[in-house]
Amino acid sequence: MTRLFAWVVTNLDAFIGLLLAVTVAVLGLTNTVSQDVVNSAILLVLGLLAQAVLRDRLRRRTAEQQVRQVMVDTRDRLTDLVPQMREITGPEGALNRAREAIDSVSMVRVLHGSEVGQTLAEARRYTDRWTFKGGTGTYLRAVTLPECLEHARRRNATLTVAVEIIDPTDEDVCERYARFRRSLDPDAPGERWTVDRTRKESYATVLAACWHLQRSGLLTVEVRLSAQMTTFRYDLSSSCVVITQENPQTPALRIDRGELYYNRFNIELDYSRKQSRRVPIEAAGQVKLDDEPSVEQVRRLFAALGLTLPRSVGDREVADIVGKAIQARNPYA
């Protein structure tokens, strides 16, 4: 009822004309009024209709003018905003900078739990090179190197491996690393990180590299020894770089090839190796290693590499190094 009343008020002249026309028509049909009155009423109705038409045209013209004015104001406003929009959307604009910031965040993926192992396994499957920097290289000799070689053999492809681990002949760095590892959870019951264990783990990685090198014509190896320890491990393949820590519960970082920081880490690892001591791995060819290298073979090998074992390292310790190198176990299995 309220809406009907509002409509009547809005269209009052048309409503009056309609009501008058109906009333006169009824009166004319019943001969209640004379023909002159009917004719006068018809003229009045026509006048009301003409007034309604004129008013509608006036409203339409006014509306058109208002729309035209709005369009002009909008055009002027947009013209004023063009320089500001260019500052926002231009090559150096805020929008582009924000996009670059978002892209830089998406360059790095955080890996949790089993994602780390799955990512490394996928990287090993198709890579033709592997660069490692870390502590003693336990996971490298136990999993990475054997699996990369196996995949390369199946693809009949070459494999280039660059390794940087702590120097087993540097007692200071071995002590620092052992102290750091003792601050973490032990990776196996009864195994405690000491200077001797750290030294043997590094020696085992060098031995493993030489042993695999003698058994694969597809492999090229570079081994570097550092006097500085790192709490991170870097594994760079042809598809991505994965950054982990000794604690397997800690999330890892993955950066795919093609992203800016993949190349940055590649450069970082290259410069780090150049600052480390190179092992003359080519000298390993002077000592032929059996499938199960003997103690004497291992001693002569390290002497040829300039890594002569200390006198304190007895035959039992050398045999332990051989076991760690040839029969290495996955510390995170």
Side-chain angles (χ1 to χ4, degrees):
M1 190 66 182
T2 303
R3 284 186 293 179
L4 178 62
F5 180 74
W7 179 85
V8 171
V9 172
T10 304
N11 303 277
L12 186 60
D13 49 357
F15 181 76
I16 293 174
L18 176 63
L19 183 62
L20 182 59
V22 172
T23 301
V24 171
V26 172
L27 293 177
L29 290 174
T30 58
N31 295 320
T32 305
V33 295
S34 64
Q35 188 62 39
D36 292 338
V37 173
V38 171
N39 292 338
S40 299
I42 291 173
L43 291 175
L44 180 59
V45 171
L46 291 175
L48 288 173
L49 290 176
Q51 185 271 338
V53 171
L54 291 175
R55 187 196 62 182
D56 182 66
R57 288 181 177 177
L58 178 62
R59 287 179 177 176
R60 186 180 304 168
R61 184 174 302 170
T62 302
E64 290 177 353
Q65 291 176 350
Q66 290 175 346
V67 170
R68 194 174 291 112
Q69 185 61 43
V70 169
M71 293 178 66
V72 171
D73 294 342
T74 302
R75 182 196 62 192
D76 294 341
R77 181 59 179 163
L78 288 175
T79 302
D80 296 337
L81 287 175
V82 166
Q84 302 177 28
M85 292 296 292
R86 286 175 180 169
E87 292 180 0
I88 296 174
T89 61
E92 302 297 329
L95 185 60
N96 195 51
R97 292 195 300 271
R99 186 183 297 111
E100 290 177 353
I102 293 173
D103 291 341
S104 66
V105 172
S106 63
M107 289 180 186
V108 181
R109 285 182 52 194
V110 179
L111 305 177
H112 300 273
S114 61
E115 291 180 324
V116 180
Q118 293 170 1
T119 298
L120 290 172
E122 188 68 19
R124 292 190 294 267
R125 189 178 303 275
Y126 302 107
T127 192
D128 60 354
R129 64 192 180 104
W130 198 280
T131 300
F132 173 81
K133 176 182 177 179
T136 60
T138 306
Y139 186 83
L140 174 79
R141 67 175 182 269
V143 179
T144 303
L145 188 54
E147 288 195 7
C148 284
L149 277 170
E150 178 61 22
H151 291 306
R153 185 189 62 78
R154 291 178 180 177
R155 301 193 317 270
N156 195 28
T158 59
L159 176 67
T160 300
V161 177
V163 179
E164 181 185 343
I165 57 177
I166 61 176
D167 190 340
T169 65
D170 189 326
E171 188 169 346
D172 288 339
V173 69
C174 290
E175 172 59 35
R176 291 197 302 271
Y177 186 78
R179 188 165 56 248
F180 164 69
R181 290 303 301 267
R182 286 197 298 269
S183 67
L184 306 175
D185 292 333
D187 57 2
E191 289 191 274
R192 185 172 185 271
W193 280 93
T194 62
V195 173
D196 288 339
R197 180 187 175 187
T198 302
R199 182 185 292 120
K200 287 192 293 185
E201 296 284 353
S202 287
Y203 273 126
T205 298
V206 176
L207 175 58
C210 296
W211 188 82
H212 285 290
L213 183 63
Q214 290 190 6
R215 279 157 179 75
S216 176
L218 303 175
L219 178 63
T220 301
V221 178
E222 178 190 32
V223 178
R224 299 269 182 163
L225 304 177
S226 176
Q228 303 294 326
M229 61 156 285
T230 175
T231 61
F232 288 95
R233 293 181 307 189
Y234 303 85
D235 287 276
L236 187 144
S237 68
S238 57
S239 61
C240 64
V241 55
V242 179
I243 305 172
T244 57
Q245 290 186 287
E246 299 294 347
N247 188 343
Q249 305 303 320
T250 303
L253 302 179
R254 169 181 175 169
I255 304 171
D256 290 328
R257 182 177 183 177
E259 301 292 355
L260 173 64
Y261 282 99
Y262 175 89
N263 295 327
R264 295 288 176 85
F265 276 111
N266 193 17
I267 295 172
E268 166 68 21
L269 295 176
D270 182 60
Y271 270 80
S272 180
R273 288 195 307 275
K274 289 177 179 178
Q275 298 175 69
S276 301
R277 180 159 70 102
R278 178 179 175 273
V279 175
I281 204 75
E282 63 278 0
Q286 301 175 13
V287 181
K288 188 179 183 306
L289 299 174
D290 295 337
D291 290 342
E292 184 79 20
S294 67
V295 171
E296 181 59 29
Q297 288 174 346
V298 172
R299 289 189 182 277
R300 286 192 288 114
L301 172 68
F302 285 131
L305 297 177
L307 301 174
T308 304
L309 292 172
R311 293 181 178 179
S312 59
V313 179
D315 290 351
R316 180 178 297 178
E317 284 76 15
V318 175
D320 193 18
I321 292 173
V322 173
K324 289 178 178 294
I326 311 305
Q327 301 171 355
R329 63 174 184 81
N330 183 350
Y332 306 112

